[in-house]
Amino acid sequence: TGGGFDTVVAMLNFGLSGHSNVTCDMEAISMEGIHYGFLSPWTQQLGWRNWQQPWFLGDELCDAIRYYSHLRNSLFPYIYSMAHKAAETAMPVTRALSLMYPDKPEYDYVANCYMFGDSFLVAVFDMKVTLPEGKWIDYFTGEVYDGGRVIDYKKPDGRGGALMVKAGSVFCTMDYQKWIEKKIPDNYHISVYPGADAEFVLYEDDGYTYDYAQGAVAKTRIAIENSAEEGFDLKLEKREGSFPGREKAADAIPSAPDIPAMADVTSFDVSVFGKAKSVTVNGAPVEFRIEDGRTVFNVAKDDHENSQLVYHISL
């Protein structure tokens, strides 16, 4: 209970025990508590006491809750896929640094930083931020940091902590929508942070039932391969698996949801951190553009449905 710094060790200890689905009461009266609450395995913002509904907290905190709720919503394909990974492997969504870097005994004492799935590092409350070896990119600002050290992180305005992406990461996001069941996305965004080989498996299921435990799940593997200074390959494999959905029972209450079946494959927008010299797919040139220091191109739905795609990005 409570959403302050004292709960972080408990959250990490649960993860060390293979228990991933944990959270705490968000400390909505502080920017730091909002940052931590929304970047936990699941988010609980209680308004039952002390007038903690967002619209009573003042413009700054209300805006922060709006920003972080939009951020978490857009990250949902990544978070949900990491939850599937946790269910299959017991590797938790929120991971103590000592779990991920067991050869660093000093990380046993780091309680303010944790990995959030495969790609993100979150720092909460104390901004003495421990960055493991490698390059790390500030998700808020795009600034690049060298790892293997502790930095004094300066939070951007309106942010309650640090959110870093590990160089050598690939993952999916989606457009923000007002609630998670509003519609099944027909387009995903692939974020690519070059620097090492990596993979991400996008999991999709009906979102309601336990049918996934019997294999009713669709998976799309996306990978960075053949990483080198001059470029890398981005592999987008065809979707495998399916889920049937369920018809609403005749005696179901009116508010019971429809259980959706698997939708058509999606299109993708790809955003690569850095400016590419050229992009090809299966040897053919691809149109791309540079936006805010990123290389952006599109993957049509039909292309994704019909074949495995291997893009080569020259840097």
Side-chain angles (χ1 to χ4, degrees):
T1 59
F5 186 58
D6 289 345
T7 67
V8 183
V9 167
M11 295 265 281
L12 298 182
N13 279 342
F14 272 116
L16 290 170
S17 303
H19 188 99
S20 187
N21 293 329
V22 293
T23 193
C24 60
D25 303 336
M26 185 191 300
E27 187 183 75
I29 57 173
S30 73
M31 196 76 74
E32 293 77 12
I34 292 168
H35 174 85
Y36 170 49
F38 276 105
L39 295 173
S40 296
W42 56 280
T43 293
Q44 177 171 270
Q45 200 275 313
L46 297 177
W48 61 270
R49 70 176 185 91
N50 296 348
W51 303 96
Q52 290 193 9
Q53 292 92 341
W55 46 91
F56 290 129
L57 299 176
D59 290 344
E60 183 180 36
L61 294 180
C62 187
D63 287 345
I65 289 176
R66 181 180 293 109
Y67 171 82
Y68 276 100
S69 64
H70 289 195
L71 170 65
R72 184 178 178 89
N73 186 284
S74 71
L75 289 174
F76 186 76
Y78 169 79
I79 297 170
Y80 200 63
S81 296
M82 291 299 107
H84 266 283
K85 187 171 185 175
E88 291 181 356
T89 69
M91 180 60 73
V93 175
T94 297
R95 308 169 184 175
L97 293 190
S98 56
L99 177 64
M100 305 311 296
Y101 301 93
D103 59 334
K104 296 286 187 181
E106 63 270 28
Y107 289 178
D108 291 350
Y109 303 94
V110 176
N112 66 317
C113 300
Y114 52 84
M115 293 297 296
F116 190 55
D118 293 339
S119 299
F120 287 98
L121 183 143
V122 177
V124 294
F125 300 106
D126 177 0
M127 289 298 102
K128 296 282 188 182
V129 178
T130 300
L131 295 178
E133 292 289 343
K135 299 285 187 181
W136 296 86
I137 300 94
D138 190 326
Y139 195 69
F140 297 139
T141 69
E143 185 173 351
V144 179
Y145 294 87
D146 291 320
R149 62 194 179 110
V150 177
I151 65 169
D152 289 312
Y153 181 73
K154 304 299 182 185
K155 294 176 290 187
D157 290 342
R159 307 294 177 261
L163 181 61
M164 302 287 185
V165 185
K166 179 175 62 176
S169 290
V170 58
F171 54 87
C172 280
T173 65
M174 69 181 192
D175 290 334
Y176 157 78
Q177 53 193 45
K178 288 186 177 181
W179 64 93
I180 211 67
E181 302 94 346
K182 183 178 181 182
K183 70 166 191 162
I184 298 172
D186 54 14
N187 183 74
Y188 287 112
H189 306 285
I190 300 175
S191 294
V192 183
Y193 290 81
D197 287 0
E199 74 168 12
F200 171 79
V201 179
L202 173 66
Y203 284 78
E204 298 170 286
D205 63 20
D206 64 37
Y208 292 96
T209 73
Y210 290 104
D211 290 354
Y212 70 87
Q214 282 71 52
V217 63
K219 302 178 184 180
T220 304
R221 180 178 180 268
I222 308 166
I224 301 172
E225 298 181 348
N226 303 314
S227 294
E229 286 188 13
E230 62 271 14
F232 62 94
D233 294 330
L234 177 67
K235 181 181 287 186
L236 175 57
E237 297 184 0
K238 295 177 68 174
R239 184 172 66 178
E240 296 183 350
S242 64
F243 51 94
R246 299 188 189 183
E247 293 185 1
K248 186 183 295 187
D251 59 349
I253 61 174
S255 60
D258 294 319
I259 308 299
M262 186 174 71
D264 290 343
V265 299
T266 65
S267 57
F268 292 91
D269 298 321
V270 180
S271 174
V272 180
F273 187 79
K275 298 179 181 180
K277 296 176 181 176
S278 66
V279 180
T280 60
V281 58
N282 299 342
V286 172
E287 291 187 6
F288 67 93
R289 59 193 183 276
I290 305 297
E291 295 181 356
D292 298 326
R294 299 170 186 264
T295 302
V296 179
F297 59 91
N298 307 108
V299 181
K301 168 185 168 181
D302 290 345
D303 291 340
H304 171 43
E305 184 174 24
N306 294 326
S307 62
Q308 176 176 278
L309 302 170
V310 180
Y311 293 85
H312 182 73
I313 291 90
S314 296
L315 299 175

